[in-house]
Amino acid sequence: MSDGNGAVPILQVENLKKYYPVRGGVMGRKIGDVRAVDGVSFSVREGETMGLVGESGCGKSTLARALLRLEDPTDGTVLFEGNDIATASKQDLFQLRRDLQIIFQDPYSSLNPRMTVGEIVREPLLVHGVGSKEEQVRKVRDLLETVGLSGDVIERYPHEFSGGQRQRVGIARALALEPKLVVADEPVSALDVSVQSQVLNLMMRLQKERGLTYIFVSHDLSVVEHVSDTLAIMYLGRIVEHGPVDAIYGRPAHPYTRALLEAVPVPDPKQRRVSVPLEGEAPSPVSPPAGCPFHPRCPFAIEACKAAVPALEPVGAKVVDGQAEHFAACIRQGEI
Amino acid sequence: MLRVRDLAVGFDTPAGFLRAVDGVSFDVHAGRTLGIVGESGCGKSVTASTVLRLVPRPPGRILGGEVWLGEQDVLTLPSDDLPGIRGNEISMIFQDPMTSLNPVFTVERQLFEVLAMRFGMSRQQAHARSVEMLRTVGIAEPESRLRAYPHELSGGMKQRVMIAMALLCEPRVLIADEPTTALDVTIQAQILHLIKDLQQRTGTAVILITHDMGVVAETCDDVAVMYAGRIVETGGIVEVFDSARHPYTRGLLASIPRRGQGRKAELPTIEGIVPSLTAPIEGCRFAGRCWKRRTLGAADAARCASEDPALRAFAGGEVACHFPVEGTVRPEEMTS
Ligand SMILES: Nc1ncnc2c1ncn2[C@@H]1O[C@H](COP(=O)(O)OP(=O)(O)OP(=O)(O)O)[C@@H](O)[C@H]1O
Ligand code: SF4
Ligand SMILES: [Mg+2]
């Protein structure tokens, strides 16, 4: 919520990179890199939601995992309340993990099928030695109630629940340690629309009540618009546009953002699009094109776009606290 | 072009006999697109497979119904005639491309077989036509893709090859089961564009199965809403989106986040879960979750629980509800 204690960045990411080696030949030697995340910088303010969008393979999930150090980043810093997650020692990381949680996309595979719902939600409390046995059991009941599941589900197993209910279990587990930042990687993509809205309502309510900060990864631009305060759009491992949701949806500055927004079908038959869709597919991150990664598909590309990777530059004149808020990485952003 | 009447299909499952499709009727006309929408498991795919007699048996059993393609009932044709129908008259695009691509043959070989059987083309003719079609569906370097095996292609690419295959047949009826659900929005826009294009050129009748209301709004002329094995509402696309009569359709449409609808506002939801299809259903199958029913007097509400509503015609469509919705409904009324 931008009207909360919104000014403080809780997370500051600086030039984050995650490369995977590509091996080839008979010796399986390294012959190149997949640049899954290639120099990403952004910050998120406490109590806000940053939506992270982009097409499959653009590096969203890798970025989400690198932020929480579920993968070791190749380079860069991830400052969470001033501590660098990217280089923290094992011990420090263990402590930091209490404040940082993740909700996964697939409610079917992210819960251990051999554990009861009660055990699943309690596990983080056990691992971190929080409270006595009685306190833990009470906490598990409270958490399940918070996410709208009655206490009698404790003894049951994940397969006995619907997708929406399983996603609630995942959320209860993520909240067990009272984290400050929750990374949600496609949390509602696997759910039916009517269930999707239940889970979104729950996440928004928990944010209001607990002042949670979210990074909400999704490919669904309507969902992202509804829940986010700010937005980062990724293409081929880089952020191409970043800023407040209203500014970006109101006047997208990057041609890719524009194409993406135009491609979203509107649920209103009286507003059909006539525009011709963007052509081609995103190129492979193993051999990204020179210059602007979007230039081969960009309807506005000129020769100069092939020369160098454009940096994120401020868009327009809107400045808050001496800092620009809206950025885009396109050399023609002012003209188009 | 295609008339489906009283289709009923069930499966033997460990939990008992499951009525997946329970009395489904609809028409699809030349040059028009019918959208079939509904929650996961409501019977959309089973309906589609039944039209082509592709329901696996056992455990599946077609309990009754007729599928009229012109003057012949597909369900009573001798099995020998089926291969002639599939592909030539009716083509299907599956959500999972590997359902229709053969892993042991190259793309070229598979497209050739289709063209040889349908149009009696020679290898050279088929090659030229295949290259052209692959280009049309947005595949770069079609010559080299033709030599590839399915596993050498990306997911989006396989989907396009399958779509190319379906379009090459120039079928009278095209059934597309979630053809773009696994794809990114920009690719989705391309594929939907292609299907429309084919339809305009050849007058193909299209059945588009999806759970995305945006896709329906954008591409369909008519829509059928399924719930728990039944069509509960059908009508022209504008009528259904503007003034749906069934409480379920209203709830479904209300629960999708839309542009310009207060950010982070609570979304209307449909509480509860779909009824089990293995237990006999008494009365209206939506009664347990129906917001409209909660506004009715005791006698009317009891009727919902005891009497199964049949599809009844009204201006612009058909609805299966004893107390169809009229006028505008505030979101709060649907949630409470
Ligand atoms: N081979 C099968 N054996 C047993 N049950 C089946 C089989 N195929 C489908 N069913 C059941 O039939 C019902 C309808 O399934 P169907 O695949 O048509 O749903 P759907 O509407 O296409 O859902 P989705 O949106 O998830 O694709 C479901 O309850 C499903 O579990
Ligand atoms: S028949 Fe009754 S329960 Fe069923 S949808 Fe209509 S009002 Fe609701
Ligand atoms: Mg299906």
Side-chain angles (χ1 to χ4, degrees), chain B residues 148-282:
Chain B
Y149 289 89
H151 69 90
E152 297 172 301
L153 304 173
S154 72
M157 204 90 85
K158 279 195 278 250
Q159 194 78 6
R160 285 160 195 251
V161 169
M162 180 176 57
I163 289 165
M165 200 148 119
L167 299 187
L168 277 174
C169 300
E170 300 184 4
R172 286 208 278 162
V173 180
L174 176 68
I175 304 178
D177 188 0
E178 310 259 8
T180 57
T181 305
L183 303 178
D184 292 318
V185 277
T186 61
I187 313 292
Q188 166 171 290
Q190 296 169 5
I191 303 276
L192 295 176
H193 204 76
L194 267 172
I195 294 179
K196 253 190 201 168
D197 207 57
L198 168 92
Q199 183 171 47
Q200 269 159 15
R201 277 190 298 110
T202 61
T204 301
V206 177
I207 300 178
L208 183 74
I209 296 176
T210 174
H211 63 273
D212 185 329
M213 288 297 192
V215 169
V216 175
E218 198 125 282
T219 53
C220 298
D221 302 295
D222 305 291
V223 59
V225 182
M226 283 189 78
Y227 186 79
R230 223 4 116 71
I231 290 177
V232 294
E233 178 155 17
T234 69
I237 189 80
V238 175
E239 284 78 13
V240 171
F241 272 74
D242 274 7
S243 48
R245 304 294 302 272
H246 200 284
Y248 174 65
T249 316
R250 285 281 177 118
L252 206 57
L253 287 168
S255 64
I256 24 179
R258 287 162 198 262
R259 307 290 312 264
Q261 167 200 51
R263 196 140 46 78
K264 294 201 180 181
E266 176 144 346
L267 295 162
T269 60
I270 304 174
E271 297 301 328
I273 53 169
V274 288
S276 158
L277 298 177
T278 46
I281 298 176
E282 267 184 63

Side-chain angles (χ1 to χ4, degrees), chain B residues 246-248 284-288 290-293 296 300-301 303-305 307 309 320-324:
Chain B
H246 200 284
Y248 174 65
C284 171
R285 49 199 67 215
F286 187 55
C290 182
W291 55 270
K292 171 85 185 181
R293 179 168 176 244
L296 301 172
D300 286 344
R303 182 169 171 220
C304 295
E307 192 185 323
C321 168
H322 297 306
F323 307 98

Side-chain angles (χ1 to χ4, degrees), chain A residues 98-167:
Chain A
R98 292 187 59 162
D99 290 334
L100 308 163
Q101 291 292 324
I102 188 160
I103 302 170
F104 292 100
Q105 165 170 14
D106 183 0
Y108 300 94
S109 64
S110 63
L111 305 176
N112 185 337
R114 283 179 296 277
M115 283 164 77
T116 64
V117 164
E119 286 164 354
I120 287 169
V121 177
R122 188 170 158 211
E123 190 180 48
L125 298 170
L126 277 175
V127 170
H128 283 268
V130 180
S132 65
K133 182 167 184 224
E134 290 72 40
E135 282 165 340
Q136 289 178 355
V137 170
R138 196 167 340 113
K139 176 113 202 186
V140 168
R141 277 183 191 282
D142 287 349
L143 283 164
L144 288 170
E145 199 169 299
T146 305
V147 300
L149 295 171
S150 62
D152 61 16
V153 304
I154 283 184
E155 300 294 330
R156 293 164 62 191
Y157 289 86
H159 73 260
E160 299 173 51
F161 294 93
S162 69
Q165 287 171 319
R166 277 188 260 217
Q167 201 54 294

